[in-house]
Amino acid sequence: MPALKKLMRYGHPEGHTDVCFDDGGSCLVTCGSDGDIRIWENIDDDDPKSINIGEKAYSFALKNGKVVTASSNNSIQLHTYPDGDPDAILTRFTTYANHVVFNGDGTSIAAGSGDFLVKVVNVQDSSQQTTMRGHDAPILSVSFDPKNVYLASSSCDGTVRIWNITQQSCESNLALLQKCNDVVNAKSICRLEWQPKSGKLLAVPVDKMVHLYERDTWKKSFTLTDDFIVQPLNVVTWSPCGQYLIAASVDGVIVAWNITTKACMERIKHEKGYTICALAWHPRLSQVAYTDTEGNLGLLENVCQSDGKTLETKVPSAAAKDYDELFDGDDDDEDFLNGDMIDHEGAAVNDEDEDNLMPVSGRIRNRGVILDDDNSLDVPSLKPSESENPEDDDLTSSLRQIPSSVPLRPSYDGPLPTAPQKPFQPGSTPSHLTHRFMMWNSIGVIRCYNDEQDSAIDVEFHDTSIHHALHLTNTLNHTIADLSQEAVLLACESTVELSSKLQCLHFSSWDTSKEWIVDLPKGEDVEAICLGQGWVACATSTQVLRIFSVGGVQKEILSLLGPVVCLAGHGEQLLIVYHGGTGFDGNQCLGVQLLEVGKKKRQVLHGDPLPLSRKSCLSWLGFTAEGTPCYVDSEGVVRLLNRGLGNTWVPVCNTREHCKGKSDHYWVVGVHESPQQLRCIPCKGSRFPPTLPRPAVAVLPFNLPYCQITTEKGQMEEQYWRSILFTNHIDYLSKNGYECNENVKTEAEKEQQELLMKMFALSCKLEREFRCMELAEFMTQNVMNLAIKYASRSKRLTLAQRLSEMALEKAVELASAMQQEEEEEEEEEEDFRSRLNAGYSRSATEWGEARAESNAPELNDEEEETEQPAPEGSPEIPKPNKSKTLNPFNKVKSPEQSAAKSGAIVLGNQGRVNPFKVSSSQKSPAVSGTFSRSANILDNMSKFSRKPAPAGSHVPNKSDSAVIKPLVPKAKAKQGQVSLFHSIQMKPKPNKSEEREEKSALNCSSSPAAGNVENKKPKTGFQLWLDESRESILSENPEFDESEIIKEGMSRFRTLASEERMLWTEKAKGDAAGGDAVDGKKRKRPEQEGHELNGSVKGGSEDATGASKKRKPFAQSTNKLSAFAFKKD
């Protein structure tokens, strides 16, 4: 099986980087050009421990809990491991040392420097030093003989020297390398090494080969090379058993050989071809760590497991080994390679016979029926050598003869459970750091300094107008914190003596007592906290959520559905993430709840599963600045709650796409929807930023993972739906009573419609007409007009016709929605008037009672005079309820139409007709007002070639073409027919004398054609307002036609205050009442006029029904008081 190469990660800045394993192989240790020694628990450790030894570190060695370093201060220093405390300065050079190593037992070190010297120093007594002189150039590398007799060194002078340590003499001088004047100019640093245990062979990398020299004779024994190597080799290292040798070149090639067979076992290429400057073999496992000159750290696993000699048998599983160790106490001297038990003494090269390179495995133990199963670690073991006890051979053969029918141990082959994620505080760095961030959010930063001398917490606000910076003494050892515009919240774990505490510093309080502390019950620890607007929440180890007011009042308490992971708060919203179950195959099983804990308490998300990337965990949870829940997982995927699609989660960004290196990450600190910004801190080679120096915040854009994002179509689709997603918060805020900037939504809608039009044009060019219709579904009325024009000019008449039909349907829906809104507004106005009248007495002595009695006969007389008998054959029509609200948009019916059944539109004897069907005949039924609104859309079609007549012109035949006019309210027929909008032509407002003449002409007319003449009815408040505002609308939008003027007027009229709209409505009704006063009747008092305003609504149906019939001539009557009441502004 070939070696498995793990992904490389950032370790140090660019420059020479060294690496080794500690004595037990539990940690990786590196040093680099930044002067730091870093201790990694594994290759995926994102928070290694750092020990600073100077400005720059050139080399280091680790043995017996001591670390010796060669730094830029030209000295060889000794530090403790893993604490990193300085222990001693062993020696100094006149320039920096290039390489330093320990001997086999860790009692001495050897170092070679740029001043051509090699020194051997005793670790316990640094005064015992031996200096080797003889090289004529800087030293490249040094290596101790395992038997502590010889020392080998390589130099820029092109030679490799073997020194006798005791005699301080040069045993051999081998001219093997190319000469150079300095280490930086050398083609190879020539990291040579002796064979472990016996020290029989010395491996020296020379150009593209590895030369192996025999001990004592110093003759070249053999050479190892491979065609895969095309550049000079830089470094070599041995396996702990001495059977394998691995070398790396300056172009990133790693090759391993079997010394016995001289066969190449592994060939690995660096992913970027960087120079590999250090190799280290794990003391027990088949792992090799390596570093390159760019400061990256890599790891190879299963190295040299494809050897044919090692695949004969399987090794026992880990459980079986533990079983053996219970009964075998004499195997302490055994070492492990790749999980196999290897006797290094037996594996060492025999002095007499070089070919006896045969490793010996441990004795086979009789475990009865406990045999290896398929789940045992499938790694090779080495062939057993001749057994010292012949009985062992019999035992081995007997074990091999066990029949295959013996049952194996029961095993589980399914997915393995995932360890649950521990609780954490979003926006904080790990708690084991001495200097760390307890919280970083959009409000400020909380730092914690936990040194031996001092333990303090610093609070800094981004906006100093909220509060000045705070310095708190951390006497209670707080580990969790949160920050808002009202308070600072801290929490600490329980100890043997003290219980867990929740402390709140309410700095926005107006009183002098700004701090309160709550002790939790015994055995209950705070695991997560958050702050909201006026409330505080904490989740505890007993799966309980406690809510307090910001002043310290205990409020709700509820049980969580599982162990808490983290909390987040914003305004009245509380977001809870907990473990919903056990995850498998590296996946977490998390649930999420969203609560609103304000005045209206409700649950939005009911424990739904939280989507995460595969084999990832939650790394950040919070809200956007606008209050939308969002979170980030360990794979860097940012997800946002889509309230417009059933509270689903949408991925909006992947921070990993912006990372330069695979070990780089972005630490999220804030999310904004307007503008669309993801604020985070770039972390080089780590997941968390350091506290010093202060990290800089970067801004990343959002990008939804749509397909074909590189194409124009994909980009526009992504922009459109991203704009839709990031404006959902405006509707949510407006529904919940928050102030929101309408300009943001307007600009977003404008951008969305522009994108739709661009996609429409692109689809037309690609001849995707069905796609054009799909895009038109999202367009507004104005943009659809442009689309129809574009389709017509592109000579796509079928598309234009279908778009026109769709526009008509949308106009009908829009008009019905507007009509419903108008009816709701009228109901609200009537409720408002009833509330106003509720304050007056209804006793007989009040004016209201007298007015009601005096007005009743007049109203009855008018009804009797205006009612006409129904045509023959029509059903008897009951009188409408007088309390029914007048609909100002009802169509005034002719006598023939008034006889029709309720809910139908009848033309002569034709029966039912379609009210929305367009007909060119003279006797076509009344067309819906919604059609008149959208008539400009159909003007492009040949069927409606006429243009609308200009305002104020006279059109004798109204059925010839569709003419746009302002909406005029019509009285509701007694039959309760459906409301229709009638298309009439705009006329100038006549004076009173002309109005009287027109009324007289209408009343005196008795010809059948009079039914087709439109009756003059009072205008609504909206029409009065539109008459006055028409000039301003046209001045701002001179290109508008009549329907667009009406639509713009409606939108502006809705923006008026409700009181102002009511005044316009009352003004219209006042004018109508003044114009309809009867000449022969008694003049009403002003109080009666106000009373009749309410009565006119109730009796409007009767009055409106008789509008098209013969009326009694009215005389001009002017009520000055009512005019003053409604026209005083």
Side-chain angles (χ1 to χ4, degrees), residues 42-82:
N42 52 60
I43 190 68
D44 298 321
D45 186 7
D46 291 320
D47 186 30
K49 181 179 181 180
S50 295
I51 304 171
N52 186 266
I53 60 171
E55 294 182 2
K56 192 173 183 180
Y58 295 97
S59 180
F60 84 106
L62 175 61
K63 198 80 171 180
N64 299 337
K66 299 289 184 180
V67 178
V68 60
T69 59
S71 59
S72 56
N73 58 3
N74 304 340
S75 64
I76 304 298
Q77 301 180 25
L78 192 67
H79 294 76
T80 61
Y81 176 84

Side-chain angles (χ1 to χ4, degrees), residues 14-195:
E14 180 182 359
H16 179 81
T17 310
D18 217 345
V19 63
C20 75
F21 287 94
D22 62 2
D23 295 333
S26 59
C27 293
L28 278 166
V29 186
T30 61
C31 77
S33 58
D34 54 0
D36 287 345
I37 292 178
R38 292 181 178 169
I39 304 171
W40 312 77
E41 293 183 0
N42 52 60
I43 190 68
D44 298 321
D45 186 7
D46 291 320
D47 186 30
K49 181 179 181 180
S50 295
I51 304 171
N52 186 266
I53 60 171
E55 294 182 2
K56 192 173 183 180
Y58 295 97
S59 180
F60 84 106
L62 175 61
K63 198 80 171 180
N64 299 337
K66 299 289 184 180
V67 178
V68 60
T69 59
S71 59
S72 56
N73 58 3
N74 304 340
S75 64
I76 304 298
Q77 301 180 25
L78 192 67
H79 294 76
T80 61
Y81 176 84
D83 297 332
D85 298 330
D87 198 358
I89 296 178
L90 299 180
T91 187
R92 293 183 184 274
F93 293 93
T94 58
T95 183
Y96 58 85
N98 295 317
H99 196 205
V100 60
V101 294
F102 270 106
N103 64 351
D105 55 7
T107 57
S108 300
I109 62 102
S113 73
D115 58 3
F116 315 163
L117 300 180
V118 177
K119 291 185 178 181
V120 179
V121 184
N122 187 284
V123 174
Q124 299 298 328
D125 185 5
S126 60
S127 61
Q128 301 180 14
Q129 297 187 10
T130 301
T131 303
M132 312 297 179
R133 304 176 186 272
H135 283 293
D136 298 327
I139 309 300
L140 291 173
S141 66
V142 293
S143 178
F144 266 111
D145 168 26
K147 297 183 178 181
N148 210 22
V149 176
Y150 300 110
L151 177 72
S153 64
S154 61
S155 172
C156 292
D157 60 5
T159 63
V160 174
R161 292 175 179 260
I162 293 92
W163 309 86
N164 188 304
I165 300 174
T166 306
Q167 300 177 4
Q168 300 184 23
S169 61
C170 180
E171 293 287 332
S172 178
N173 185 5
L174 306 174
L176 302 174
L177 310 176
Q178 185 176 352
K179 294 183 179 181
C180 59
N181 57 2
D182 200 357
V183 178
V184 295
N185 299 324
K187 290 187 176 181
S188 169
I189 59 175
C190 191
R191 287 284 195 264
L192 44 77
E193 189 171 334
W194 296 83
Q195 188 178 23

Side-chain angles (χ1 to χ4, degrees), residues 583-596:
F584 290 89
D585 283 344
N587 300 314
Q588 297 287 332
C589 182
L590 304 181
V592 59
Q593 284 181 288
L594 179 59
L595 307 176
E596 292 184 359

Side-chain angles (χ1 to χ4, degrees), residues 439 441 443-444 446 461 466-467 482-489 505-508 530-536 550 569:
M439 174 55 62
N441 57 17
I443 305 299
I446 302 179
F461 295 87
I466 298 177
H467 200 270
D482 198 6
L483 179 64
S484 71
Q485 294 184 348
E486 296 178 324
V488 177
L489 187 63
L505 181 60
H506 187 198
F507 54 79
S508 65
C530 70
L531 279 166
Q533 185 177 359
W535 55 269
V536 172
V550 74

Side-chain angles (χ1 to χ4, degrees), residues 55 81 545 567 608 615 625 628 654 658 805 816 833 1041:
E55 294 182 2
Y81 176 84
L545 180 70
L567 301 177
D608 302 333
K615 295 186 178 181
T628 303
N654 189 349
H658 303 275
E805 295 174 358
S816 61
R833 289 193 298 269
D1041 55 17

